[in-house]
Amino acid sequence: VVSNDSSSSSCFADIGFMFDSEQPTKSETLVFQRNTACCSFCGHEIRGSDDDGCGEQEEKSVRVTIDAVDDNPGAVQSGHYLWPAAPALAQHLVNAYTSSHPCPNCDEHSANVNTTAHVGGTTLSDNDGVCIVELGAGCGLASLAAIQIFDVKCAVLTDHDPGTLNRAVENHRATIRELNRVEEDNRGRSCLKLSKNVAVVPVFFERLSWGDDENAIQLIMQVNEYLEKSKSEETRKSTDRKYVYDEAVEGNRLSLEEILGNDFLSPLNTENMNWRGFDLVLGSDLIYCKEIVKPLFRTVARLLSKKTSGALMMMTQSFSYEDDTENEINNICLNLGLCRSIISCDLKEGGVRVQTFQFDCN
């Protein structure tokens, strides 16, 4: 996270995230179960599972393997720690999406089921694939859960700290290895979106500075250029399972700029830009002071798609904001044309607050 506003220097000085990559870490696999008993499409019972398997009529749980600093982050502003709002965001996505998404039984027998994601009180169509970006991604938990939940066309994990992005890359690889282990242990049984499905999703790890319009617009243009380019390229990924897995776990991670090379030109014409933005923007425990609000939501407004019905940002927080920060969020959103909705708030009970932001207020 960074701001070009010198008045906000007190928020960012001496945070020391460059040293956190050397701290002792802990690796763990977090499992997120859907919380609904019956499929809303076919009505058949969906049983949760506490073991590593996927039963014949059970929805696969979402599994993410995370390596993070083995300590409570406290007041440290670093993405090398696993912040409490990140697993809460992942669980909320699982709950909100799978409660209105077909179960394995529907997927097997009703190929033409019209699926939509009811996220945060709005409906986000995923029939054409969802483009996801996570801001301040840190360890990458929310995005690594989302690529198992949605039909994802492209996912981009962003952070200002390159060391944090390197950690997110390794967590992505570890998650795919874990999903592959589960699949191998349960070979021949019915499971949704395991290692190949997740490995084939284009996932990028990019540095992003909040409040930098050029940075945000360039990211959108690069993603669109990549998606256009990938349409016309036949790769072994569509047919060779081993290639898919090996590339995701062991292959070189190239940036969008490296992939596009000299073929990519970036005329930053924001007035006539015809690019598709992101359908879903994710963020957890992003705001620590009033001064970060303006650059954060300026970037959100640039990244969020105005062409996708129901496109939204979903943000969770594990601590309360000061009144002046709350007022700043409301004022900035009003100026940017963003509608703010509080979905749930359990902060007083030691939980989290979930809120959404979107251009379509209806």
Side-chain angles (χ1 to χ4, degrees):
V1 179
V2 71
S3 169
N4 295 325
D5 185 352
S6 60
S7 67
S8 64
S9 60
S10 61
C11 282
F12 311 104
D14 300 323
I15 59 177
F17 58 68
M18 65 285 295
F19 303 112
D20 289 331
S21 60
E22 304 302 322
Q23 298 294 320
T25 63
K26 175 184 177 182
S27 181
E28 61 180 323
T29 296
L30 304 178
V31 181
F32 304 94
Q33 304 279 359
R34 67 181 286 163
N35 67 349
T36 179
C38 297
C39 174
S40 59
F41 285 78
C42 70
H44 105 275
E45 181 181 359
I46 301 171
R47 302 184 302 278
S49 174
D50 293 329
D51 58 27
D52 290 338
C54 298
E56 196 167 300
Q57 290 189 344
E58 291 175 352
E59 175 71 50
K60 185 188 78 69
S61 57
V62 171
R63 310 175 71 88
V64 182
T65 299
I66 292 293
D67 184 74
V69 172
D70 187 16
D71 197 3
N72 189 311
V76 179
Q77 299 172 31
S78 170
H80 291 274
Y81 296 78
L82 182 59
W83 288 82
L89 176 56
Q91 185 64 62
H92 186 82
L93 289 172
V94 171
N95 294 347
Y97 181 67
T98 57
S99 63
S100 59
H101 200 67
C103 63
N105 191 51
C106 285
D107 284 350
E108 290 173 9
H109 299 106
S110 302
N112 296 320
V113 170
N114 183 23
T115 62
T116 55
H118 296 270
V119 182
T122 191
T123 301
L124 175 63
S125 174
D126 72 343
N127 291 329
D128 188 38
V130 176
C131 289
I132 296 174
V133 63
E134 184 175 2
L135 303 181
C139 298
L141 174 58
S143 291
L144 297 182
I147 63 175
Q148 299 177 58
I149 300 168
F150 295 93
D151 178 12
V152 178
K153 180 176 287 188
C154 180
V156 184
L157 285 69
T158 69
D159 205 287
H160 181 63
D161 176 12
T164 296
L165 290 175
N166 290 336
R167 189 178 297 280
V169 167
E170 293 307 315
N171 288 339
H172 180 227
R173 289 172 169 159
T175 295
I176 293 174
R177 286 194 293 266
E178 168 65 10
L179 295 176
N180 185 70
R181 182 193 67 79
V182 172
E183 187 173 47
E184 291 298 317
D185 288 349
N186 297 275
R187 187 176 298 165
R189 304 177 71 182
S190 175
C191 295
L192 279 178
K193 289 184 181 292
L194 284 176
S195 57
K196 179 182 177 181
N197 308 65
V198 175
V200 78
V201 175
V203 179
F204 299 101
F205 304 82
E206 303 285 334
R207 293 191 67 180
L208 181 67
S209 297
W210 299 348
D212 186 335
D213 287 351
E214 183 173 330
N215 196 182
I217 294 169
Q218 175 122 343
L219 179 61
I220 292 176
M221 297 177 74
Q222 287 175 328
V223 168
N224 278 268
E225 187 76 9
Y226 169 80
L227 292 175
E228 283 298 317
K229 184 177 181 180
S230 63
K231 283 181 183 179
S232 59
E233 291 184 353
E234 291 294 330
T235 71
R236 293 168 56 197
K237 289 187 176 183
S238 61
T239 57
D240 189 333
R241 181 185 184 81
K242 187 176 186 304
Y243 176 83
V244 171
Y245 180 79
D246 290 347
E247 279 294 295
V249 175
E250 305 293 346
N252 293 327
R253 293 303 178 107
L254 299 178
S255 68
L256 283 163
E257 184 176 1
E258 290 172 320
I259 291 174
L260 297 173
N262 295 328
D263 294 335
F264 177 71
L265 300 176
S266 55
L268 297 176
N269 185 348
T270 59
E271 297 298 324
N272 300 314
M273 190 171 66
N274 193 36
W275 300 98
R276 168 181 172 174
F278 291 92
D279 309 306
L280 183 60
V281 180
L282 300 174
S284 57
D285 279 336
L286 298 180
I287 299 175
Y288 302 93
C289 59
K290 172 185 173 184
E291 287 77 11
I292 198 60
V293 172
K294 183 175 181 180
L296 169 61
F297 285 100
R298 185 181 181 97
T299 293
V300 171
R302 288 296 188 190
L303 295 177
L304 194 58
S305 175
K306 294 183 179 180
K307 299 185 177 187
T308 304
S309 175
L312 78 158
M313 177 196 191
M314 177 167 286
M315 185 173 74
T316 53
Q317 66 190 85
S318 61
F319 48 86
S320 299
Y321 301 148
E322 298 290 338
D323 289 344
D324 61 345
T325 300
E326 291 285 356
N327 293 333
E328 183 75 353
I329 294 174
N330 290 331
N331 291 335
I332 295 299
C333 286
L334 181 63
N335 291 336
L336 293 172
L338 290 169
C339 299
R340 181 188 189 190
S341 300
I342 307 298
I343 305 303
S344 63
C345 183
D346 299 314
L347 290 173
K348 291 183 178 180
E349 291 76 30
V352 301
R353 180 164 73 165
V354 182
Q355 50 191 319
T356 62
F357 304 85
Q358 57 189 133
F359 286 117
D360 184 4
C361 302
N362 298 321

